[in-house]
Structures are given as structure tokens and as C-alpha cells.
Amino acid sequence: MTVKIHIELDDTHREFAEKMVADGIYPSVSSVIQAGIEHMMHNDAVTADPLAGMADEINRRMELPKDQWIPLEDDTMFDDIRALIRAKRG
């Protein structure tokens, strides 16, 4: 089933889509947009949950040997942040 909808494109996207039609790559601007959506639907990098990729990366890093972890023993970041907070509170 095909449904007619109204979308807005900025000039850059409209010009690109129209060029694809003028070059004979797609028969219409609608086809260009449909192809873009199809690409996203079939692209493995696109996930339904945008946090899933981040969770996968965190899990991958957690599985690294401990000698590859960034040491926090000498890190003063949290102390520095606490000092900034104390200073702002007065």
C-alpha cells in the first residue's frame, strides 16, 4: 500500500534528490527518499535501540584484559570535579 505524505527537505537535500532524478538514477524524488529509508532498514549498523551499540562497546571493553584498562589510581578527575562543585556552592 502506498500512502501520500508531505515532507519538508532543506535545499541541500532537495537539490541532491533532484540531481539523482535528473541523472536518471531514480525516477522520482519519492523514489530517492524510499531508497534512503530502505537502506537504513537493511543497514546492520542501524539498530532499533540507539543505546544497544554503546552497551555492546562497553561490554567489549569490559572483556579486555585488566592490563589494557586505563588506570584510575592516579586520576584526580573526580577530586577536581568535587572541588569545582564546592567552589560554586561557596
Side-chain angles (χ1 to χ4, degrees):
M1 178 173 122
T2 301
V3 177
K4 187 172 186 170
I5 64 170
H6 172 80
I7 65 165
E8 294 182 14
L9 299 174
D10 64 27
D11 288 340
T12 304
H13 294 125
R14 180 188 49 79
E15 290 168 4
F16 178 80
E18 289 174 346
K19 182 176 181 340
M20 300 288 277
V21 173
D23 290 348
I25 299 169
Y26 290 96
S28 66
V29 170
S30 180
S31 297
V32 175
I33 294 167
Q34 287 175 359
I37 292 170
E38 282 291 323
H39 176 74
M40 288 188 292
M41 288 171 60
H42 293 98
N43 187 348
D44 291 338
V46 176
T47 63
D49 180 5
L51 296 178
M54 184 185 298
D56 291 344
E57 181 63 14
I58 290 169
N59 288 328
R60 185 190 69 77
R61 290 181 184 194
M62 291 293 293
E63 293 172 1
L64 290 173
K66 297 287 185 195
D67 65 340
Q68 292 184 23
W69 287 31
I70 298 171
L72 293 176
E73 292 85 27
D74 299 325
D75 191 351
T76 63
M77 178 181 70
F78 293 109
D79 294 331
D80 297 342
I81 292 171
R82 286 184 188 104
L84 284 170
I85 292 169
R86 279 193 298 276
K88 286 188 176 190
R89 288 184 181 165

